[in-house]
Amino acid sequence: MLAELAAANAAFGVIKSFISNGKELASCGKQISDFVFAKEQIEKKAKKQRAKGVRTNDLEEFMALEKIKQQEDELKQIMIYAGRPGLWQDWQRFQAEARKSRRYAEKMAQKRKEELLEIMG
């Protein structure tokens, strides 16, 4: 979890430095993608640990998710004030569609894996 938080922090730091140096959001697209990927990995790990009933890192999980939430709020402000009108809403829509397609791809991969195991077994 700490590795993902470090990746998110690094990506967000680059985003902030790009914007403070007068560059556009489009020029730091990879860093925004890295930030979102790290956020999803943290959320996925936290959800997986809760599902297993592992409760050793509650405070660590909470603080990591809280830090990500604060950074996401800052990113929202950057997109609202430094981007074009409606950029944040368009970004949220795009993220939702991308998340759905990733979940579908994960389900299909799991289904293929189960079919392969059934055929081989």
Side-chain angles (χ1 to χ4, degrees):
M1 174 131 4
L2 292 177
E4 291 83 3
L5 183 59
N9 287 337
F12 189 73
V14 171
I15 295 167
K16 282 181 69 172
S17 69
F18 267 58
I19 298 304
S20 66
N21 290 333
K23 297 195 179 189
E24 294 188 19
L25 281 170
S27 61
C28 59
K30 183 188 180 321
Q31 287 75 22
I32 293 173
S33 174
D34 291 345
F35 174 77
V36 171
F37 180 75
K39 173 190 166 202
E40 285 188 2
Q41 291 300 315
I42 290 171
E43 289 173 345
K44 192 182 283 188
K45 279 190 175 184
K47 190 181 289 186
K48 198 180 272 188
Q49 287 181 348
R50 274 184 252 131
K52 288 181 180 178
V54 177
R55 291 304 209 179
T56 58
N57 301 2
D58 286 344
L59 182 61
E60 181 184 337
E61 288 175 19
F62 174 76
M63 295 307 287
L65 291 170
E66 189 64 25
K67 177 81 171 172
I68 293 293
K69 184 179 177 184
Q70 289 172 353
Q71 290 174 338
E72 193 171 35
D73 287 343
E74 280 186 62
L75 182 61
K76 176 182 179 180
Q77 294 301 318
I78 290 170
M79 285 187 169
I80 289 172
Y81 295 114
R84 65 171 172 74
L87 181 64
W88 177 252
Q89 291 80 10
D90 292 345
W91 170 244
Q92 286 183 315
R93 241 178 278 126
F94 176 79
Q95 276 188 302
E97 291 171 9
R99 195 174 304 116
K100 285 178 189 176
S101 66
R102 280 192 301 272
R103 298 299 176 260
Y104 179 75
E106 288 172 359
K107 283 183 182 180
M108 294 306 292
Q110 180 65 28
K111 186 177 178 179
R112 276 187 242 122
K113 182 179 177 182
E114 289 172 0
E115 287 174 353
L116 270 173
L117 288 173
E118 186 176 317
I119 290 171
M120 294 178 88

